Amino acid sequence: MTDPRPFVHESVLLDRVLELFAPVPSGTIVDATLGGAGHAAALLEARSDLRILGLDQDPFALAAAQARLAEFGDRATAVHARFDQLATVVAAAGAASQPIVGVLFDLGVSSPQFDRPERGFSYRNDAPLDMRMDTTRPRTAADLVNGLDERELASLLRRYSDERFATRIARSIVHARPVTTTAQLSALVVESIPAPARRKGGHPAKRTFQALRIALNEELDVIPPALDAAIDVVVPGGRVLAITFHSGEDRLVKERFRRAEDGGCTCPPGLPCVCGAVAEARLLKRGGWAPTAEETARNPRAASARLRAVEKLPARPVEDQR
């Protein structure tokens, strides 16, 4: 799929990503959210002994990434896939002959997806109510808005954006159906929220659009299995990095990385482990990394980013697991 407009997305925490992958052995890094290939290209430029296996579910992003990575020849491969298919893609690529030494997740929606009105991600422009990251999938945000009942809509808004006025918004949507455009939905949300609440916290429709986007693209549902698969496929000494942009994503990454660190230990804190849990990885920093003030000034969308990382541990001998 081609598009005459460039897919321009500034890679967040790029220097930190390069620093964290610098110690990994030679092999392949899986860029599970390839986007415009900013991180991927920088890694290939920094290390001539690395290859990139990139995944992206957005056909427009994939085409842009393939064009950007063309100069690296067979050192870069781009696949149309969502990152919860990571294990399958790695197996098909033949990881046995090229060890997986790292996996990178840059979660959330990209700038080009937001900035192109026809994608329907933004409440700032009038466009069809789409919001699909993978435009080959049939279901759109309009299907959710017009297909869920009032209770289901309200639950969705509360679950994915903590919307205080979820019930009022859901009721307005149901009464106004069919709702087919971003402008129509945005107006309904604004009208549903009391005037005092509309004066603070940014645009009143921000949370509703976020919730619909997350639900439609199953953004949070696919994170835990994808992280587990990433930790599973990397070799000892390999690293898994995840960049998040809101608390829901960060909470899931923190939980999965913590589980990899303690092996899912169920023993009381402060006591020796007797439950047989086996650690798979070590945290590279508790709390993770945030962008520098300089990066945030240059790219305001980076302000909410958080990077967490783990390193795969060597497998313990069988006798040590008894």
Side-chain angles (χ1 to χ4, degrees):
M1 182 173 292
T2 60
D3 190 312
R5 294 163 299 178
F7 191 98
V8 180
H9 176 67
E10 183 169 351
S11 299
V12 174
L13 289 158
L14 179 58
D15 291 341
R16 185 69 67 186
V17 167
L18 294 176
E19 174 189 319
L20 289 170
F21 277 133
V24 302
S26 300
T28 296
I29 289 180
V30 179
D31 189 335
T33 48
L34 190 56
H39 288 113
L43 285 164
L44 291 170
E45 289 169 354
R47 294 269 305 266
S48 61
D49 60 337
L50 291 179
R51 296 170 60 91
I52 290 288
L53 174 59
L55 287 65
D56 206 290
Q57 62 178 319
D58 186 333
F60 297 102
L62 194 68
Q66 289 170 327
R68 184 166 186 180
L69 297 176
E71 64 179 287
F72 299 101
D74 62 5
R75 292 179 61 207
T77 302
V79 180
H80 180 228
R82 193 168 68 176
F83 56 70
D84 58 329
Q85 299 172 280
L86 186 150
T88 301
V89 173
V90 167
S97 60
Q98 186 69 227
I100 303 300
V101 298
V103 181
L104 171 65
F105 295 87
D106 185 359
L107 301 171
V109 66
S110 68
S111 296
Q113 288 169 333
F114 265 131
D115 294 341
R116 293 181 178 178
E118 71 275 14
R119 300 296 300 269
F121 284 99
S122 177
Y123 45 80
R124 301 187 185 281
N125 302 285
D126 191 15
L129 198 53
D130 193 323
M131 299 193 194
R132 290 173 298 169
M133 290 184 175
D134 184 348
T135 54
T136 67
R137 291 176 177 257
R139 192 171 68 156
T140 68
D143 294 318
L144 289 183
V145 166
N146 295 298
L148 299 179
D149 64 31
E150 183 179 318
R151 180 177 297 181
E152 290 170 327
L153 267 175
S155 176
L156 182 154
L157 296 177
R158 281 191 289 267
R159 179 182 179 189
Y160 294 120
S161 66
D162 296 321
E163 175 54 68
R164 290 172 52 202
F165 304 102
T167 298
R168 295 175 63 155
I169 294 169
R171 185 176 300 123
S172 295
I173 289 172
V174 170
H175 289 167
R177 285 172 173 170
V179 179
T180 59
T181 70
T182 55
Q184 185 183 5
L185 177 60
S186 179
L188 285 169
V189 175
V190 171
E191 293 168 2
S192 303
I193 296 177
R198 296 200 300 262
R199 301 191 190 106
K200 56 185 178 181
H203 196 286
K206 179 179 180 180
R207 290 182 297 275
T208 294
F209 274 66
Q210 172 185 293
L212 288 169
R213 188 201 82 224
I214 290 173
L216 176 69
N217 295 289
E218 303 173 343
E219 293 178 38
L220 300 185
D221 297 336
V222 297
I223 291 175
L227 291 173
D228 291 346
I231 294 169
D232 185 55
V233 302
V234 295
V235 297
R239 295 180 169 188
V240 179
L241 279 57
I243 301 171
T244 63
F245 289 87
H246 66 76
S247 60
E249 294 171 342
D250 187 56
R251 182 175 62 252
L252 291 172
V253 172
K254 181 179 179 180
E255 289 173 352
R256 301 319 288 187
F257 282 0
R258 180 186 296 155
R259 182 178 179 85
E261 180 190 39
D262 65 18
C265 179
T266 57
C267 300
L271 295 179
C273 176
V274 295
C275 69
V278 178
E280 295 180 88
R282 70 178 182 92
L283 288 173
L284 294 178
K285 180 180 180 181
R286 297 197 178 277
W289 293 266
T292 63
E294 180 183 358
E295 179 175 2
T296 300
R298 184 178 68 249
N299 180 17
R301 287 179 175 173
S304 60
R306 177 63 60 103
L307 169 61
R308 297 182 185 271
V310 293
E311 181 176 281
K312 181 78 169 279
L313 295 173
R316 284 171 54 182
V318 174
E319 58 268 21
D320 291 345
Q321 299 180 29
R322 287 192 288 229

